[in-house]
Amino acid sequence: MGALSHLRIVEIGSAAATSYCARLFADFGATVQKIEPPAGDPIRRTAPLTPKGHSAWFAFLNFNKSSVALDCSDADASSRLTELIAACDILLDGRDIDAANCPAVDLAAIKQRNPGLIHLDISWFGREGPYAKFEATDSTIRALTGLVKLVGSVEGPPMHAPDFQTGIFAGLWGLIAAASSVLGRMQDGRGRANSLSIFESSIAVTEYIMFESFVHGDIMRRIGVNRFWPTFPAGIYETRQGWLGVTTVTPAQWRSFCEMVGLPELRDNPALSMGVDRLQHIADIEAKIIPRLKQRTAQEWFAESLRRKIPIVPVPDVGDLIADEEKKVRGAIVPIMIGDETGFTAGSTQRLTGTPPRRGGAVPDIGEQMLGCAHVSEAAKRVPVPAEQGSDRLPLEGIRVIDFSMGWAGPICTRTLADLGADVIKIEATQYPDWWRGVDRRPAYVLEQMYEKSVRYCIMNRNKRGITLDLTRPQGLNLAKRLLADADVVVDNYSAEVLPKLGLGYEVLSKLNPKLVMMSMSAFGAGSVHRDCRAYGSTLEQGSGLPSVVGDPDGPPVMSHTAFGDAVGGLNGCAAVLTALIHARLTGKGQFIDLAQIECMMPFAAPWIVAHSIDGKEPVRYGNRHPDFVPHGCFPCAGADNWIVVAVSSDAVWPRLAKLLGRADWATDAWLKTAVGRRAIEREIEAAINAWTSARDPEAAMTALQAAGIASGVARLPMELLQDPQLHARGFIQEIDRAFIGKHPQPSMPFREGERPFPIRTPPPTLGEHNQEILGGLLGLSDAEIDQLAREGIIGTEMLMEEQLVKEKKRAAG
């Protein structure tokens, strides 16, 4: 039995986000009934297609579900759907994206019959605000959220990845909303209703850059393919055989990289020590490193980089992923059956080891009850729901999380748990505080307490309490164990061996606390042969297979983000923790989660994995075009470097665009009524759109296109989101006041129970802010004991300077 086998899910409407959310539940045994019209979910017809015409995208989103075909013209369809929803635990509602001829139901009446029902409603932009009625596609959403304009050549147009990204982001957030509601219902019996905005859900990937702009101002621009602020190199390079992902952030990594490729003159140049400085010399540096990298293969460079501890990884294509035996063993690549076709796809990224996810499965035909699912739906023992207590408590109140994570990936996971009401205790050390506070240990930085003025640290650590403990000393380690003895969750995103070497591995902690859920968020996984590989968010994208399907047909693999993998890993980590917590609350048994962040990126390449595993053909790269939508692209607007993404997402939309362009003849041309016909004159259509958009301000162009019902989105810079009218209308950007930096903006979660977002209850902690509160109030230490810990440097509230850290190391060694 899976961790979620007691849950029954009904999925209605047609939306990639609801489909992926439901599949995440199905991965862990939940019974999912997908409601479709007799012609099937429209996503069944989405490219890429298998040789027998099955959608690889639909297959990835829907294996291990049952299909229930309901014809809305049938008089019994509404009553049948009503009964299914009344008997389920969670309703995933994508009708606002595409109703897909779903029969009408009275949800208010159903909720009276089933007060424990958890309802998640997903829309493009939310129910209110100036964008509420906008038409949208995956690409137009990513343009509006700042995920397009910084990618591609300096001259433009910006280059964006194929569709299938926003459905992954929103599906993960959907599981977080629904699973946290399950945990809340276990305590108070209340069935929660959440609404989720796909637009807001994608901001998790770009919020770091968005809020860095609040501090640094308008400094970010598109600087070339596979180049991103704030460091260089952090891109993809050709080798003698294969492509190589290279990232150097710290001065030590840069020096080691220069030594590896035999360029001591770059290593010894003080003007190139920091990544932000190297950005000023890209052409000169690449003129030297590119010829050197072509002297050896990607695999040879990878082996050398492991020895030197540099974040470097070969860039695989989808065939490499499918052939990777370790990924199959770990369940990152799993078998899939689509009718009589068999292949592989990306498996569950949430690797619970005690209640592991299903390893692949079958995709239902329209109306097909998959073997086992229908019987489970009727016979599974339902977990009793307590009587509703009428409380407005947050869903995760009463859950305690010990947070050893730093940077982005781990902290966004624990921040989300904290936003939902968990008591998150963040553990740092004065010797090694969270690296997003800054790694500068020079006296001026430390004495001016610049480590308390990092906005990026602040946006990841609100609603938490913070203490400091030196875990390398027995007193600090014992205090950590006392906290862990009564905790529900512990999270770390160090290298896989760090906590076990300190004596805080799962084997130790599970004996201390059998209910504990422990998650390790390493780059490749605790059991991987590459477990010692250093990695950043850029490394994770480079190694995921996604760049191989992005870009022009004759161009290099293309990255989409400076640190894509961090936020994606964090959201997957949160989803995994919630799944394990549900099981722990039911059984009293905790477990270890071996989350490999590189595997969390693989769903973005999943459709091409499915298709290639069946037909063996290399994926087609479309640039800014689209396999289904014609026309589709990123077009110039009036002014410098202004762009807009335009998508004709159905044949019905085409005549509206043709008339807007002043081509009434195109609107009535029978040959152009289908995407296949328009493909023949795609260049001519694109030229007409170019001429029309070039004469207009981007906002004016979007207003006119949207008024005609045409999906479009201005390609914004991340900093422009700080003034986005939709986000402000919905209260998405909250303002808080904190010591050292004063008032500053914070993003909200993309789902909400009522009209407003979940509130930010407390500002992010200063270093060691809650030492007294937690060590004294929670663990019962006396003031004298706490003072002694401070004198010995086991706790503290000030970051150590470099010379102080050296003395600490000498003391520990001697």
Side-chain angles (χ1 to χ4, degrees), residues 232-274:
F232 174 84
I236 293 173
Y237 295 94
E238 190 173 9
T239 69
R240 185 158 58 84
Q241 181 180 340
W243 297 88
L244 192 70
V246 177
T247 302
T248 63
V249 173
T250 68
Q253 289 166 354
W254 169 245
R255 289 194 298 270
S256 293
F257 174 73
C258 293
E259 289 170 1
M260 184 178 78
V261 296
L263 292 169
E265 66 272 25
L266 295 183
R267 177 198 63 195
D268 298 335
N269 186 339
L272 303 179
S273 178
M274 301 300 292

Side-chain angles (χ1 to χ4, degrees), residues 106-395:
D106 185 343
L107 280 180
I110 292 172
K111 289 176 182 179
Q112 284 188 330
R113 290 176 56 189
N114 181 4
L117 179 68
I118 292 164
H119 178 206
L120 178 68
D121 176 74
I122 298 182
S123 60
W124 284 118
F125 295 100
R127 300 293 186 191
E128 61 286 308
Y131 302 170
K133 302 298 183 183
F134 273 18
E135 296 295 325
T137 67
D138 189 287
S139 298
T140 64
I141 290 287
R142 283 185 284 126
L144 285 167
T145 53
L147 289 168
V148 168
K149 194 168 184 178
L150 294 176
V151 182
S153 67
V154 175
E155 300 78 20
M159 181 179 291
H160 55 90
D163 284 355
F164 320 133
Q165 291 197 2
T166 64
I168 302 295
F169 300 144
L172 283 166
W173 277 115
L175 183 129
I176 290 166
S180 63
S181 294
V182 171
L183 285 160
R185 188 179 68 174
M186 288 178 172
Q187 298 300 310
D188 58 29
R190 184 159 65 90
R192 289 167 166 80
N194 282 290
S195 59
L196 186 149
S197 160
I198 294 177
F199 172 57
E200 292 170 10
S201 72
S202 300
I203 290 174
V205 188
T206 198
E207 65 184 11
Y208 151 56
I209 311 173
M210 170 183 172
F211 288 95
E212 283 290 282
S213 301
F214 172 77
V215 178
H216 296 287
D218 187 10
I219 63 171
M220 278 168 265
R221 289 292 182 273
R222 194 171 55 260
I223 56 176
V225 175
N226 294 322
R227 298 171 181 167
F228 299 92
W229 184 92
T231 193
F232 174 84
I236 293 173
Y237 295 94
E238 190 173 9
T239 69
R240 185 158 58 84
Q241 181 180 340
W243 297 88
L244 192 70
V246 177
T247 302
T248 63
V249 173
T250 68
Q253 289 166 354
W254 169 245
R255 289 194 298 270
S256 293
F257 174 73
C258 293
E259 289 170 1
M260 184 178 78
V261 296
L263 292 169
E265 66 272 25
L266 295 183
R267 177 198 63 195
D268 298 335
N269 186 339
L272 303 179
S273 178
M274 301 300 292
V276 71
D277 299 324
R278 296 192 290 274
L279 282 171
Q280 312 308 313
H281 305 279
I282 289 175
D284 291 340
I285 293 172
E286 287 193 336
K288 291 181 170 67
I289 67 172
I290 287 175
R292 296 299 179 99
L293 289 173
K294 289 182 178 179
Q295 293 175 1
R296 302 174 72 178
T297 69
Q299 289 295 334
E300 288 170 342
W301 287 124
F302 179 49
E304 183 64 20
S305 70
L306 286 173
R307 189 175 69 81
R308 296 173 181 265
K309 299 182 179 180
I310 311 171
I312 287 179
V313 66
V315 177
D317 57 32
V318 293
D320 295 327
L321 296 177
I322 296 165
D324 189 326
E325 288 304 317
E326 180 178 276
K327 287 184 168 53
K328 291 177 181 177
V329 170
R330 287 182 55 85
I333 295 289
V334 296
I336 190 171
M337 293 167 283
I338 320 166
D340 58 358
E341 293 180 302
T342 59
F344 293 95
T345 191
S348 172
T349 61
Q350 294 140 32
R351 193 165 180 266
L352 279 62
T353 58
T355 55
R358 293 172 172 174
R359 294 292 187 99
V363 180
D365 287 335
I366 301 169
E368 181 183 9
Q369 296 291 308
M370 300 306 294
L371 182 62
C373 292
H375 301 295
V376 170
S377 176
E378 299 300 323
K381 183 178 179 181
R382 299 292 299 279
V383 174
V385 176
E388 185 175 350
Q389 299 171 21
S391 166
D392 28 348
R393 66 188 291 282
L394 291 168

Side-chain angles (χ1 to χ4, degrees), residues 643-682:
W643 305 86
I644 188 169
V645 171
V646 180
V648 171
S649 54
S650 71
D651 291 336
V653 173
W654 164 247
R656 302 177 210 157
L657 178 61
K659 291 173 183 175
L660 197 66
L661 297 176
R663 294 298 304 263
D665 57 325
W666 280 356
T668 57
D669 188 326
W671 179 252
L672 301 180
K673 286 184 178 180
T674 66
V676 173
R678 295 190 295 276
R679 187 78 74 188
I681 63 163
E682 195 164 15

Side-chain angles (χ1 to χ4, degrees), residues 582-602:
I582 291 171
H583 178 260
R585 284 295 167 101
L586 286 175
T587 65
K589 296 178 181 178
Q591 59 183 300
F592 181 68
I593 303 170
D594 177 19
L595 191 91
Q597 291 190 57
I598 198 165
E599 294 171 3
C600 295
M601 285 296 301
M602 288 171 54

